[in-house]
Amino acid sequence: MIELKTKEEIEKLRIANIHVAEILNLLTEYVKPGVSAAELDEIAFNECKKLNVRPAFLGLYGFPASLCVSINEEVVHGIPRKDKIIKEGDIVSLDFGVEYEGWYGDAAITVAVGEISERKQRLIEGVKLALEKAIELCHPGNNLKDIARVIEETLKCYKLTPVCTYGGHGIGRKPHEEPHVTNCLSNAENIELKPGMVLAIEPMAYLGKGKIRKLKDNWTIVTTDKTHAAHFEHSVAITENGPYVLSKI
């Protein structure tokens, strides 16, 4: 069951997502060599207290932190541990969400730490462009298959391997709602986009040709061949006038 939101409800979601964007923007200033993932998580938690919002991920399905910090070969759901230290040349994905007055916001970015290789730059650019192209298709009458197709085609154009197992989702009164928003056409649902739908679209991909697996912490997803991954996400409302990117300041 896909819940369609009213204009007033979308504005509530907009406020939640603005807070997400503000905190992510702040966190990028701290993504530097020598900083631990746990420090970033602490900053995110403290900013939530200042803004009087609740970190959406903390305790969600048992997740032990407020912020997902995935570094290099970590694709998504990285636990921000104290011993996870950022280094020069790393790429760091930050996935974050908040709850504001019963409504949820969710977004993700990937940050380069200092100078990175051309391959890593291609990775970041490709995943970011895939998200931008997906957002352009968020008009009533288009289909989730259209979104999956453009994400997959863009990623493959950049010689990247799309992550099909994990992807985006609806968002609203719950952090994860129907529908599933996949990054691959092969498992995309045949669902027409309608005004009032709100989707968290999150392409993720990696440089290698291997597979992905879950670590023993039961959260962190990594590439089996240790190649680096990137992840971008925006929460987007489908309106009669087209896409309304809620998590963009």
Side-chain angles (χ1 to χ4, degrees):
M1 184 70 180
I2 299 174
E3 180 186 345
L4 301 181
K5 280 73 176 179
T6 67
K7 291 180 180 179
E8 292 76 18
E9 290 171 338
I10 288 173
E11 287 308 315
K12 291 278 190 180
L13 286 166
R14 168 67 168 159
I15 295 171
N17 278 284
I18 286 176
H19 289 317
V20 171
E22 289 171 340
I23 293 173
L24 281 175
N25 284 346
L26 175 66
L27 287 170
T28 60
E29 299 176 13
Y30 292 89
V31 179
K32 297 177 181 179
V35 174
S36 74
E39 288 177 85
L40 297 177
D41 180 62
E42 184 178 4
I43 292 167
F45 180 80
N46 289 335
E47 286 302 310
C48 284
K49 289 203 296 186
K50 290 179 186 177
L51 294 170
N52 198 29
V53 297
R54 185 177 66 83
F57 299 169
L58 183 59
L60 182 66
Y61 315 125
F63 190 72
S66 302
L67 176 71
C68 294
V69 183
S70 305
I71 302 177
N72 295 334
E73 73 271 13
E74 296 175 345
V75 181
V76 70
H77 302 160
I79 295 176
R81 304 187 313 271
K82 290 182 180 179
D83 62 350
K84 189 189 288 188
I85 307 298
I86 296 169
K87 303 184 297 297
E88 178 78 17
D90 284 346
I91 58 174
V92 181
S93 296
L94 306 174
D95 189 0
F96 185 62
V98 307
E99 178 263 321
Y100 165 78
E101 295 188 358
W103 297 94
Y104 284 84
D106 191 1
I109 56 174
T110 297
V111 182
V113 184
E115 294 293 325
I116 61 172
S117 67
E118 289 185 7
R119 292 179 76 240
K120 294 178 191 177
Q121 191 63 47
R122 170 168 54 86
L123 169 65
I124 292 175
E125 289 177 1
V127 179
K128 187 175 182 181
L129 182 62
L131 176 57
E132 292 172 357
K133 286 185 172 293
I135 291 171
E136 289 174 3
L137 292 179
C138 288
H139 290 263
N142 285 340
N143 197 288
L144 282 182
K145 286 181 175 289
D146 299 320
I147 289 176
R149 181 184 293 107
V150 77
I151 289 174
E152 185 172 13
E153 288 178 351
T154 303
L155 295 175
K156 288 185 175 180
C157 183
Y158 274 75
K159 299 180 180 179
L160 305 175
T161 300
V163 174
C164 301
T165 312
Y166 297 88
H169 49 88
I171 188 168
R173 290 184 175 90
K174 298 178 181 178
H176 297 114
E177 298 181 350
E178 294 294 330
H180 176 61
V181 185
T182 181
N183 300 313
C184 301
L185 184 58
S186 60
N187 64 336
E189 295 184 78
N190 183 22
I191 295 176
E192 182 180 328
L193 303 184
K194 298 180 180 180
M197 291 175 65
V198 182
L199 307 175
I201 304 171
E202 46 183 320
M204 51 191 84
Y206 50 96
L207 287 165
K209 296 297 182 183
K211 298 183 179 180
I212 59 173
R213 67 181 181 90
K214 186 183 291 185
L215 295 183
K216 291 181 180 180
D217 64 17
N218 206 35
W219 280 105
T220 310
I221 305 300
V222 300
T223 59
T224 56
D225 57 8
K226 302 292 185 180
T227 54
H228 292 184
H231 174 205
F232 283 88
E233 177 184 16
H234 270 308
S235 291
V236 185
I238 313 299
T239 78
E240 294 176 354
N241 298 319
Y244 179 14
V245 185
L246 304 177
S247 50
K248 188 174 184 179
I249 299 176

